[in-house]
Amino acid sequence: MSTNTFMKNATAAPEFRLLVIAVFIFGLMSVLSPDRFLSSQNLTSMAFQFPEFAILALAMTIAMMTGGIDLSVVGVANLSAVVAALILTQFSDTGMPASQSAIWLAIAITAALCVGAIAGLINGSLVAFFGLPPILATLGSGLVFTGFAIAMTGGSAVMGFPETVALIGNAKLVGIPVPLILFALLAVLLHLILTRTAFGLRVTMYGANPLAALYAAIDINRMLLKVYVIAGMFSSIAGLIVMSRANSAKADYGSSYLLLAVLIAVLGGVNPYGGYGRVIGVVLAVLSMQFLSSGLNMLQVSNFARELIWGALLILVMVMNTHAVAALRGSFAKSSK
Amino acid sequence: MTKLFPRDFWTRNETLVAGVIVLFCIIATLSDPRFFTITTVSDLLRASIVIGILAVGAMLVLVSGGIDVSFTAIAVFAMYSSTVLSLAIWPGIPWPMIFVISVIFGAGLGAVNGFFIAFLGLPTLIVTLGTLSIFRGFLLTFIGSQRISDLPPSMRDFSRGVIARGTTEAGNFYSIPWAVLALFFVIVLTWFILKKTMLGRSIYAIGGSVESARRIGINVKWTQFFVYVYVGALAGLAGIIHGSVGRMADPFSLVGLELSVIAAVVLGGARLIGGYGTLTGTMLGVALIVIVQNSLIVVGIPTTWQSVTIGVLILLGTGVPAYRAKRAAAQAG
Amino acid sequence: MSSDHDTAFIDLRAITKRYAGVTALDSVDFTVQPGEAVCLAGENGSGKSTLIKIISGVEPATEGTIHIAGQERTTLNPRISAAAGVMVIFQDFSLFPNLSVAENIAFATQLSTHQRFFKARASRDIASAALDRIGVEIDLDARVESLPVAQKQLVAICRALASKAQLIIMDEPTTALTDKEVRRLQGIIRMLKDEGVAVIFVSHKLAEVLEVSEKVVVLRNGKKVAEGPASDFDTQSLTYHMTGRDVPIVPPSDVTAGAQTLMEVKGLGKVGSFADINFELKTGEVLGITGLLGSGRTSVAKALFGLVAPDSGSIRVDGQPVPIGDPQAASTARIGYVPEDRLTEGLFLSQSILRNVAVGRLDAHTSSGFLNMGDLAEEAAEWLRRLKVKAPDIEAPVQSLSGGNQQRVALARWLSRAPRVLILNGPSVGVDVGSKADIHDIIRDLASQGIGIIVISDDLPELLATCHRILVMRDGRIIDTLDGKSVTEDDLAHRLAS
Amino acid sequence: ADGHSKNIATVVKIAGIQWFNRMEEGVKQFAEETGMNAFQVGPAQADPQQQAALIEDMIAQGVDALAVVPMSPEALEPVLGRAMEAGITVITHEAAAQQNTTYDLEAFVNEDFGANLMEQLATCMGGEGEYAVFVGSLTSQTHNQWVDGAIAHQEANYPNMTLVGDKNETFDDAEQAYTKSQEVLRAFPNIKGMQGSASTDVAGIGRTIEERGMEDDTCVFGTSLPSIAGQYLETGAVDGIGFWDPAVAGEAMNKLAVMVMNGEEVTDGMDLGLPGYESVSLDGKVIYGQAWVNVNQDNMSEYPF
Ligand SMILES: Nc1ncnc2c1ncn2[C@@H]1O[C@H](COP(=O)(O)OP(=O)(O)OP(=O)(O)O)[C@@H](O)[C@H]1O
Ligand SMILES: Nc1ncnc2c1ncn2[C@@H]1O[C@H](COP(=O)(O)OP(=O)(O)OP(=O)(O)O)[C@@H](O)[C@H]1O
Ligand SMILES: [Mg+2]
Ligand SMILES: [Mg+2]
């Protein structure tokens, strides 16, 4: 294949348009508020901000690839964080030497990941074995997970962690924020899973045609379980980052992230009916959102307007991706007579 | 002899949901005999009005093969802006006019959805997810974000209007507001459209197969457009009722409820793939959600566990029929 | 010629239809006179369905003019076309699974009368009249989704009959019908002709084609390559025009089955569906299973592959029991199944050809957790080459292929898994003659390699051309076992219908 | 920044609602009087993470001081810690337990405010009977402190009153408060009093009371604003509300911020020169005023917000 056609294919992809949009927003904000938006302060601050919801968007992505959705991500994140936080506050204290608290931190992280995995197993079972529509299964289970987090804490925040906990969400490794590193690792991991493993290909194929997947002897139940377990564990990682950044855990943290995660995944080009989605698209969508959001904050634009712009951006991208304008012309040409 | 029950009576979702409702009521009555009173019934009925109207709309969209998550934003937008408009130009405006304005606003916003979905052919979930943000963002940015409790007086009059109100000899209070008639009207109108007009049958047909519908000459675009406009109008109606009866135009309310409403509709047997859904089922689904949400104190569930309880009930309510359907499909091969 | 154009009900001139990259029709002239039965023949992908979509207004033509009933139609949509009297039975039926039989049949008719209100009674009347006309009984209140394929096709036919059409277009209406029903349909076509209704008939079953039509139009690669009275054609010449080459008429299979027992099915039964199914399949044997509509053929086939859980019985491959009701177990036991309905069951239409083939071989090409994409593509390409799949690019979505090529892709998936037993349900449904002969060759070739093959079909020549033995089913039971070499087509037809 | 004009960002829980619009009036007033660049921002959704992100952005754009009303104080510790490290003066409000703050300004001691509402409720109920309490959410610390303070006050002083049921959760939604209060009435028909916490609570409760014509049989008190509860105060469905003036609080926060930046010291008993904060008490980093206002039918017209 010549580089020319390669370029042509690459520029025709929906992800390319997202790249253009991301760059455009970045450029616009830089122009509108050059000294502030381009300050290293701001760039670092943005890098600390987005990984929390970006990881949730990754969790959403894999669920959507199967034609499902995971509305329990925030519930799982908070339940995991609450469990980790309870372990930390029970067994360690702020004055503990770092070496000791690190052990407890490791245990707490393991516990959180287990919570995510179990929650994923529950979601997966509801979808695979009981045949619930994912949107309802995870809506219900999300309430249950959040409910458990409330019941375990009585609704108040769990706090008082050893200092090591703060590292996950606030430290830098060779100048790069740790949450950003975590997000990058997870994004690469998910990309590899989806494009380079048998499981990932099956996920895509199942999303494209579940019935054909059945006839192709794909073990659908196992595959769905894995999908939701991955989504659950990603959510717990997001939960741990939130916990570290908030230095506390609570049942209602990040409640606005749910719709945001759905919005980002869809903006990133993931087909909510399954069968198509690329991690790079999701990453670009996340960046666009963050640039927009921080930029508008600097310009002191009302945060409500930001919601408006998000929604408009989503629809704009869709109009560009599908040949909607041609469709419109066609539909009026036909009905005009 | 006419059949007493339809052939599939015992296997229908409706039957199951009705069963769950009866079971729940029995348990509630056993745990507190006062549960089963006219007071409870009238309280629940009032709580069902707004959700019920919204659910009818959500059902219609599901039947047509789409999904709408923006209807709560439409409801709030229509309610709030019609209130603001009325206060600005004619505070003494009679309530039916405010209602009409709100319904028109709702229909207009529904038309925005309809335009993107029917004429631009964009996926319904994405469009309505986008317009949810847009409508809400626009409302709060440009129209207002304050709760207004100084409503036009006629809206308060509406909220005080009752069909029946009183206290039984046993001391049980009941009150049936006018707004119930709106729910009743919406149900009858929608029933008529769905069952008795070609338009309604076309909505089912499109939900069954868009391509087939197009091929036999159904005007798919205008039918879809109608669905979203109608649903927008219903949302406008639900919104203004919510505002009047609650005596507060709160631009932050309702949004966030959309998924629960859709859950209620699916509980009642509508399918997310389109083509299936009945009004009876929808109302039963609404009833179940409303009963559960408003009986947890009576049943004695601590506040900290209420979220878990509602979640489990949604899972049971949708899980049991889903599991049975799965089994039945496996049986049939 | 000009008088032809004057009187024609349908008159297409120089119609060209281009899809992105494909010229599906290339300057085709096409006329249909009132009351004429025209047969549209051509290989898969030759443009038959496209021509039909243009006449019925589903797709606009890129170039050319369309006259219907003497009037030029610059804008055409299904509504206008239907109003002008054109009714179509689409290849995929285009029914509404969620609506009742009555509504499915009557909907188009009621729509065409511009009525605003829906009358349930009228709808039932229209439907039962249509059903009566072809002498079929189907529960009017049943939901179409619950019907077997053949009945769905009958419903689609009734829908076209119900309307007061001037022209009925049937795009492969007989694929799911058994012989008896095909005869009935031919009777209907004659009846329609007598009533002055024109018919356009698309089919791959050449005998049928010649039997019912007056005029034959042959398309190849989007071009009209032959046109004339049906009496001018025979199977041989028709095949020649369609394929551009002579397809040899293959003699019945001469590969001998091996001696080893490969698969053993004992006492397989499922309440309400089939019972007491016993047979053995030897290595290299091709076993046919046939039967009338609803006889349980498909259910048995699905049970063998684990898609249906039988209540009783056992399946062994190479003497090892295969857990029943589990497709993965069946697949591990190297049983393969190519389903009847390519579009919904067989293929992932939006996915690439490569993926459609490779999905069966993912685990084999996984090392240390990751797929070896190169190997996967190489292997898939090799199979596509062996099965002579005509595809522009292995990364193209499979929906861009024509029916015959799609079927080969479905076959390639299972062949790449080196199956011991391969179950083919309707291997040549909706496949053109050229491809069909190829597929039969492939079947014989596979058998000669020692694979046991089960062919489920009601295409009798196909069964005779490929099978060593044929099981005949009725009411869920095997009523006959016939020897493929000695049985004749008439004999088989007789046993099926008796 | 130069010594005169400073950038002071007031970050509130959520933008646009009455309460914080009123606070913004105070912030603007302050900006006008002092010529400082004082402005107010808030997230679009009531989510601690959104507020944290907003503060993060404010730090990045280099404000000199932050006046924060935390949605969830714990969640803001790290980000406020970073702010202080960056040399930004931080003043918080409604967050007595906040660690990373220069000073926290409280209109009053939360438990005392709850007890104050309870005192009125108890008086209205004649010191006996059943009552129920409502909170916006179980996760809201201040709401819980008010209610806990109220219950403690009742237990200590009014033994003949009994609390029935749990803390009822209304999710800051009048509709929820309406249905919850109906349910409470069904479950406990003898109930005499209800105390709300979220500003919408008494509106929902009042609607229930009015609908059932129980204005004279019940006592309803809670935190709210006249603009929200006014119509129910008029009819007597709600008997009284308490609040503090957010405009004054906003102005006070900004004033404090400037004082700190100018190196002035806050001392116990100091006069901030604002109503309710004439003689503040200092407890560690927490500055308490006595700024609550009790409003009923008679004096509601004095508070037009
Ligand atoms: N929507 C489409 N987009 C692109 N190409 C298409 C489309 N529809 C059909 N084609 C192509 O047009 C050609 C003609 O297709 P058509 O469906 O008319 O064939 P056919 O003669 O009906 O074949 P079959 O016997 O398999 O049904 C094929 O090459 C097909 O791949
Ligand atoms: N004798 C019978 N009476 C009633 N129903 C029957 C009878 N035999 C079969 N059926 C029904 O028909 C179904 C058999 O369908 P199946 O698809 O196996 O038939 P088939 O002949 O393979 O159909 P096709 O022609 O589509 O391949 C069973 O599920 C059963 O419900
Ligand atoms: Mg075709
Ligand atoms: Mg009172």
Side-chain angles (χ1 to χ4, degrees):
Chain A
M1 195 193 281
S2 72
T3 45
N4 208 347
T5 54
F6 174 78
M7 279 303 293
K8 213 170 171 182
N9 285 344
T11 51
E15 287 77 16
F16 180 76
R17 298 197 194 105
L18 271 172
L19 179 66
V20 173
I21 290 177
V23 170
F24 174 77
I25 296 175
F26 190 87
L28 183 73
M29 293 305 165
S30 307
V31 170
L32 288 180
S33 154
D35 48 332
R36 288 197 238 146
F37 191 78
L38 287 176
S39 70
S40 70
Q41 257 277 19
N42 182 49
L43 295 180
T44 332
S45 147
M46 287 197 292
F48 271 112
Q49 280 180 42
F50 71 77
E52 298 172 8
F53 58 83
I55 292 173
L56 292 179
L58 292 180
M60 197 63 75
T61 300
I62 189 164
M64 277 190 178
M65 289 290 289
T66 63
I69 193 168
D70 190 347
L71 298 179
S72 71
V73 286
V74 172
V76 175
N78 284 323
L79 182 59
S80 310
V82 161
V83 167
L86 287 175
I87 291 175
L88 286 169
T89 47
Q90 285 289 311
F91 298 105
S92 65
D93 56 72
T94 41
M96 212 174 235
S99 59
Q100 224 173 327
S101 67
I103 295 174
W104 281 112
L105 180 60
I107 294 174
I109 290 175
T110 314
L113 289 174
C114 286
V115 169
I118 293 168
L121 274 179
I122 293 174
N123 284 334
S125 309
L126 289 170
V127 174
F129 297 118
F130 294 92
L132 268 90
I135 195 170
L136 292 178
T138 55
L139 175 70
S141 72
L143 282 171
V144 173
F145 300 144
T146 307
F148 272 115
I150 293 179
M152 287 164 78
T153 59
S156 47
V158 185
M159 51 190 162
F161 306 144
E163 294 201 340
T164 38
V165 175
L167 296 178
I168 308 173
N170 304 300
K172 283 187 188 176
L173 208 65
V174 289
I176 308 168
V178 174
L180 181 63
I181 295 176
L182 285 173
F183 168 67
L185 286 177
L186 291 177
V188 170
L189 180 68
L190 185 64
H191 173 76
L192 289 178
I193 289 177
L194 285 178
T195 57
R196 294 276 179 272
T197 69
F199 163 72
L201 231 54
R202 289 194 187 109
V203 167
T204 314
M205 304 290 271
Y206 172 82
N209 185 351
L211 193 57
L214 182 70
Y215 279 84
I218 289 176
D219 191 341
I220 293 171
N221 289 347
R222 223 174 91 159
M223 185 210 72
L224 284 174
L225 283 183
K226 276 198 206 167
V227 164
Y228 285 95
V229 166
I230 291 176
M233 292 178 76
F234 273 44
S235 306
S236 3
I237 295 172
L240 287 170
I241 296 178
V242 171
M243 174 181 96
S244 165
R245 286 177 52 77
N247 202 28
S248 56
K250 203 171 170 189
D252 68 348
Y253 282 171
S255 50
S256 66
Y257 286 172
L258 177 57
L259 224 50
L260 188 60
V262 177
L263 207 68
I264 289 174
V266 176
L267 184 63
V270 181
N271 182 346
Y273 303 103
Y276 183 83
R278 293 180 63 186
V279 171
I280 182 70
V282 177
V283 172
L284 288 170
V286 163
L287 292 178
S288 309
M289 288 286 201
Q290 185 61 48
F291 296 155
L292 198 63
S293 153
S294 284
L296 292 176
N297 273 341
M298 313 228 139
L299 301 170
Q300 290 180 24
V301 172
S302 145
N303 274 295
F304 300 124
R306 193 173 64 172
E307 267 187 45
L308 200 171
I309 294 172
W310 282 352
L313 188 64
L314 178 67
I315 292 191
L316 179 78
V317 168
M318 283 313 292
V319 170
M320 291 188 340
N321 281 353
T322 56
H323 306 282
V325 179
L328 181 70
R329 220 175 286 134
S331 73
F332 280 121
K334 259 189 215 167
S335 55
S336 64
K337 279 224 171 173
Chain B
M1 199 190 99
T2 52
K3 275 177 269 174
L4 191 55
F5 297 123
R7 183 177 17 188
D8 57 351
F9 180 82
W10 294 109
T11 57
R12 287 169 84 138
N13 257 51
E14 284 96 326
T15 316
L16 187 96
V17 175
V20 173
I21 292 176
V22 170
L23 194 72
F24 188 90
C25 291
I26 291 173
I27 294 173
T29 312
L30 288 180
S31 76
D32 184 346
R34 278 175 315 217
F35 173 81
F36 202 70
T37 57
I38 180 90
T39 314
T40 308
V41 176
S42 85
D43 283 357
L44 294 181
L45 185 60
R46 276 191 315 246
S48 311
I49 296 169
V50 172
I51 296 188
I53 296 176
L54 292 175
V56 169
M59 188 270 283
L60 209 62
V61 176
L62 288 187
V63 166
S64 78
I67 187 164
D68 185 353
V69 294
S70 72
F71 58 87
T72 49
I74 295 183
V76 168
F77 191 108
M79 174 265 286
Y80 194 79
S81 40
S82 55
T83 309
V84 169
L85 186 72
S86 304
L87 285 172
I89 53 182
W90 183 17
I93 184 173
W95 63 261
M97 277 189 69
I98 305 182
F99 274 46
V100 169
I101 295 172
S102 180
V103 168
I104 290 173
F105 278 158
L109 297 180
V112 174
N113 282 335
F115 170 76
F116 284 116
I117 290 165
F119 296 112
L120 290 188
L122 300 185
T124 58
L125 177 65
I126 300 178
V127 168
T128 55
L129 205 57
T131 52
L132 171 68
S133 288
I134 294 176
F135 296 156
R136 192 181 123 98
F138 189 92
L139 172 71
L140 294 169
T141 313
F142 298 111
I143 299 181
S145 54
Q146 313 240 10
R147 297 187 172 104
I148 303 174
S149 41
D150 276 329
L151 299 180
S154 68
M155 279 169 80
R156 285 198 204 177
D157 295 344
F158 175 83
S159 81
R160 296 205 168 96
V162 289
I163 303 168
R165 180 172 189 278
T167 310
T168 60
E169 279 168 30
N172 295 318
F173 168 84
Y174 63 91
S175 153
I176 315 279
W178 286 349
V180 169
L181 292 178
L183 176 62
F184 187 70
F185 168 75
V186 165
I187 291 174
V188 172
L189 178 67
T190 309
W191 174 84
F192 181 80
I193 293 175
L194 283 180
K195 289 280 177 197
K196 294 291 165 195
T197 69
M198 289 304 285
L199 177 65
R201 299 321 291 167
S202 300
I203 294 172
Y204 275 98
I206 290 173
S209 165
V210 182
E211 195 50 38
S212 306
R214 197 168 288 134
R215 287 180 180 175
I216 68 165
I218 291 174
N219 197 331
V220 173
K221 287 182 176 146
W222 283 103
T223 309
Q224 278 180 334
F225 188 71
F226 166 81
V227 168
Y228 290 93
V229 172
Y230 183 73
V231 168
L234 290 189
L237 179 65
I240 197 69
I241 289 176
H242 174 81
S244 312
V245 171
R247 285 190 234 160
M248 193 198 298
D250 180 353
F252 292 94
S253 65
L254 288 179
V255 173
L257 215 66
E258 52 279 345
L259 289 175
S260 314
V261 172
I262 293 174
V265 177
V266 176
L267 271 176
R271 295 195 209 162
L272 294 165
I273 53 162
Y276 301 83
T278 61
L279 283 162
T280 323
T282 302
M283 285 305 119
L284 285 169
V286 168
L288 182 57
I289 294 256
V290 168
I291 290 176
V292 170
Q293 276 185 345
N294 293 291
S295 305
L296 295 175
I297 301 177
V298 175
V299 182
I301 292 171
T303 309
T304 40
W305 287 97
Q306 291 187 356
S307 180
V308 174
T309 315
I310 292 173
V312 168
L313 264 151
I314 289 184
L315 291 181
L316 281 181
T318 49
V320 173
Y323 185 60
R324 283 197 326 184
K326 197 179 153 84
R327 285 280 300 275
Q331 279 296 317
Chain C
M1 261 328 252
S2 75
S3 69
D4 260 16
H5 288 301
D6 293 342
T7 56
F9 176 68
I10 297 286
D11 180 10
L12 305 185
R13 290 178 215 174
I15 292 291
T16 296
K17 173 70 187 177
R18 270 188 286 274
Y19 290 108
V22 190
T23 305
L25 287 175
D26 189 355
S27 191
V28 171
D29 290 328
F30 183 71
T31 58
V32 180
Q33 302 297 329
E36 187 181 32
V38 179
C39 177
L40 205 50
E43 292 201 272
N44 289 126
S46 57
K48 306 179 297 287
S49 296
T50 308
L51 190 66
I52 289 170
K53 285 179 189 157
I54 285 171
I55 297 173
S56 58
V58 170
E59 298 270 358
T62 316
E63 284 161 27
T65 57
I66 304 170
H67 289 80
I68 300 179
Q71 208 180 324
E72 177 161 3
R73 315 281 171 163
T74 46
T75 51
L76 199 57
N77 63 36
R79 246 182 143 85
I80 299 175
S81 173
V86 177
M87 284 307 299
V88 190
I89 302 163
F90 286 96
Q91 198 165 2
D92 62 0
F93 313 153
S94 294
L95 295 173
F96 303 106
N98 57 329
L99 298 184
S100 70
V101 169
E103 268 195 86
N104 264 285
I105 295 176
F107 209 119
T109 310
Q110 290 180 306
L111 209 61
S112 66
T113 57
H114 296 289
Q115 61 187 49
R116 288 194 183 285
F117 297 106
F118 171 71
K119 299 184 189 73
R121 169 153 302 233
S123 143
R124 292 175 61 92
D125 290 346
I126 294 170
S128 61
L131 283 167
D132 283 350
R133 218 161 141 197
I134 59 167
V136 180
E137 231 173 85
I138 301 175
D139 180 0
L140 287 178
D141 296 320
R143 279 196 171 147
V144 161
E145 65 184 338
S146 68
L147 301 180
V149 187
Q151 293 202 2
K152 285 181 188 158
Q153 192 154 44
L154 293 173
V155 170
I157 292 170
C158 287
R159 177 166 74 188
L161 291 180
S163 66
K164 305 264 174 296
Q166 309 271 357
L167 166 67
I168 296 185
I169 304 176
M170 305 183 178
D171 195 353
E172 303 196 31
T174 61
T175 44
L177 299 188
T178 50
D179 239 32
K180 209 160 114 192
E181 288 151 330
V182 171
R183 306 234 165 272
R184 199 181 283 146
L185 185 66
Q186 288 171 343
I188 295 166
I189 292 174
R190 286 193 198 95
M191 180 183 82
L192 289 170
K193 254 175 6 190
D194 294 343
E195 292 171 12
V197 178
V199 176
I200 299 176
F201 189 86
V202 178
S203 173
H204 290 300
K205 298 180 181 172
L206 300 183
E208 271 173 30
V209 165
L210 296 173
E211 212 165 311
V212 296
S213 48
E214 290 163 340
K215 186 168 84 173
V216 175
V217 172
V218 185
L219 297 179
R220 190 191 324 143
N221 291 332
K223 292 197 179 75
K224 189 165 79 177
V225 291
E227 180 172 17
S231 49
D232 290 2
F233 292 88
D234 60 16
T235 321
Q236 196 96 37
S237 62
L238 202 52
T239 308
Y240 176 78
H241 285 300
M242 284 164 66
T243 58
R245 65 186 160 115
D246 277 313
V247 179
I249 295 178
V250 254
S253 175
D254 53 358
V255 180
T256 45
Q260 270 165 290
T261 301
L262 181 57
M263 184 192 230
E264 242 183 310
V265 176
K266 279 213 183 102
L268 212 58
K270 180 175 171 62
V271 176
S273 187
F274 54 86
D276 209 19
I277 304 294
N278 294 293
F279 65 83
E280 273 187 13
L281 179 68
K282 296 206 174 346
T283 51
E285 184 182 27
V286 182
L287 178 70
I289 302 182
T290 187
L292 287 179
L293 140 75
S295 60
R297 310 171 307 204
T298 298
S299 305
V300 168
K302 284 188 180 174
L304 295 179
F305 187 62
L307 288 164
V308 161
D311 308 324
S312 60
S314 68
I315 303 169
R316 285 168 179 272
V317 172
D318 286 335
Q320 298 298 312
V322 180
I324 56 177
D326 178 356
Q328 282 82 50
S331 164
T332 311
R334 290 166 67 193
I335 301 176
Y337 179 69
V338 179
E340 204 174 1
D341 186 344
R342 276 192 299 276
L343 303 181
T344 63
E345 300 169 342
L347 295 169
F348 302 88
L349 290 175
S350 63
Q351 302 288 313
S352 68
I353 299 169
L354 165 64
R355 286 186 172 192
N356 269 280
V357 177
V359 69
R361 293 281 291 162
L362 296 178
D363 287 329
H365 290 290
T366 298
S367 60
S368 60
F370 288 105
L371 284 171
N372 187 334
M373 299 307 276
D375 285 3
L376 214 51
E378 216 167 280
E379 188 184 81
E382 169 62 24
W383 278 105
L384 295 172
R385 203 161 48 240
R386 272 206 239 172
L387 292 178
K388 301 197 191 105
V389 176
K390 272 179 245 139
D393 177 4
I394 195 167
E395 291 291 347
V398 85
Q399 65 197 2
S400 63
L401 298 181
S402 72
N405 284 317
Q406 287 180 352
Q407 186 71 347
R408 290 171 208 232
V409 170
L411 262 175
R413 178 189 307 158
W414 285 108
L415 293 182
S416 69
R417 301 191 62 153
R420 311 248 24 220
V421 177
L422 189 58
I423 305 165
L424 305 174
N425 196 349
S428 62
V429 167
V431 168
D432 61 88
V433 263
S435 298
K436 196 164 171 174
D438 289 347
I439 287 173
H440 293 170
D441 278 342
I442 293 167
I443 292 175
R444 278 189 293 267
D445 184 43
L446 292 172
S448 71
Q449 295 166 24
I451 300 177
I453 297 179
I454 297 176
V455 173
I456 319 244
S457 176
D458 58 4
D459 182 340
L460 303 184
E462 170 167 278
L463 289 167
L464 296 174
T466 53
C467 298
H468 295 102
R469 272 189 306 151
I470 300 167
L471 307 179
V472 181
M473 288 190 65
R474 187 188 302 151
D475 294 344
R477 287 170 190 275
I478 298 175
I479 54 159
D480 252 329
T481 305
L482 306 172
D483 183 57
K485 275 215 171 92
S486 55
V487 73
T488 64
E489 196 171 332
D490 285 346
D491 194 13
L492 192 52
H494 179 70
R495 286 186 199 245
L496 265 178
S498 67
Chain D
D2 58 79
H4 292 294
S5 183
K6 307 264 187 193
N7 294 314
I8 308 173
T10 303
V11 185
V12 298
K13 293 182 193 179
I14 182 166
I17 64 172
Q18 258 100 339
W19 184 269
F20 292 115
N21 286 349
R22 172 76 183 170
M23 185 170 279
E24 197 168 12
E25 286 175 28
V27 173
K28 281 185 177 150
Q29 166 106 13
F30 177 81
E32 221 163 88
E33 282 172 5
T34 61
M36 303 267 178
N37 177 26
F39 58 93
Q40 181 176 311
V41 289
Q45 276 160 332
D47 178 357
Q49 268 60 46
Q50 299 262 336
Q51 196 182 21
L54 194 50
I55 295 174
E56 197 93 48
D57 284 338
M58 289 303 132
I59 300 173
Q61 64 164 280
V63 295
D64 299 297
L66 280 165
V68 183
V69 190
M71 175 81 203
S72 177
E74 317 79 35
L76 295 188
E77 292 294 7
V79 65
L80 291 183
R82 274 196 292 283
M84 293 183 73
E85 273 167 34
I88 298 171
T89 302
V90 177
I91 305 293
T92 50
H93 178 52
E94 283 192 71
Q98 195 82 52
Q99 299 292 314
N100 291 317
T101 177
T102 317
Y103 284 110
D104 176 73
L105 175 73
E106 296 295 299
F108 39 66
V109 179
N110 279 324
E111 282 78 3
D112 293 354
F113 176 68
N116 155 58
L117 287 175
M118 173 52 71
E119 181 61 35
Q120 298 178 62
L121 182 68
T123 312
C124 171
M125 287 168 67
E128 58 181 29
E130 295 178 351
Y131 73 97
V133 293
F134 294 75
V135 293
S137 69
L138 290 173
T139 56
S140 158
Q141 197 183 353
T142 36
H143 290 189
N144 283 286
Q145 284 174 343
W146 295 338
V147 164
D148 289 341
I151 296 171
H153 185 74
Q154 171 264 315
E155 278 168 354
N157 302 297
Y158 301 99
N160 293 334
M161 285 171 68
T162 35
L163 172 68
V164 290
D166 261 335
K167 291 172 186 168
N168 297 294
E169 206 174 6
T170 62
F171 304 99
D172 293 72
D173 178 8
E175 195 65 24
Q176 290 270 359
Y178 168 67
T179 51
K180 275 280 180 323
S181 53
Q182 284 179 353
E183 206 186 334
V184 166
L185 280 177
R186 290 204 305 275
F188 311 105
N190 299 324
I191 204 153
K192 285 276 165 301
M194 295 194 230
Q195 178 170 335
S197 303
S199 62
T200 43
D201 283 356
V202 290
I205 299 170
R207 191 176 140 204
T208 298
I209 297 299
E210 201 180 297
E211 208 163 75
R212 306 195 173 203
M214 298 171 75
E215 288 93 340
D216 300 332
D217 312 328
T218 53
C219 299
V220 178
F221 288 86
T223 312
S224 191
L225 289 178
S227 61
I228 294 174
Q231 56 176 316
Y232 299 103
L233 285 169
E234 275 168 16
T235 61
V238 174
D239 300 84
I241 57 173
F243 58 92
W244 66 104
D245 187 342
V248 182
E251 198 174 345
M253 277 195 286
N254 278 276
K255 207 162 185 175
L256 269 173
V258 173
M259 282 171 65
V260 172
M261 282 187 283
N262 291 341
E264 290 171 47
E265 213 166 314
V266 180
T267 53
D268 200 37
M270 192 175 187
D271 182 358
L272 294 184
L274 289 165
Y277 303 89
E278 288 97 348
S279 168
V280 298
S281 56
L282 184 66
D283 177 9
K285 285 194 237 177
V286 190
I287 302 167
Y288 291 102
Q290 300 84 30
W292 72 61
V293 184
N294 288 323
V295 166
N296 53 35
Q297 259 176 6
D298 309 323
N299 63 346
M300 58 186 276
S301 54
E302 296 165 28
Y303 300 91
F305 58 92

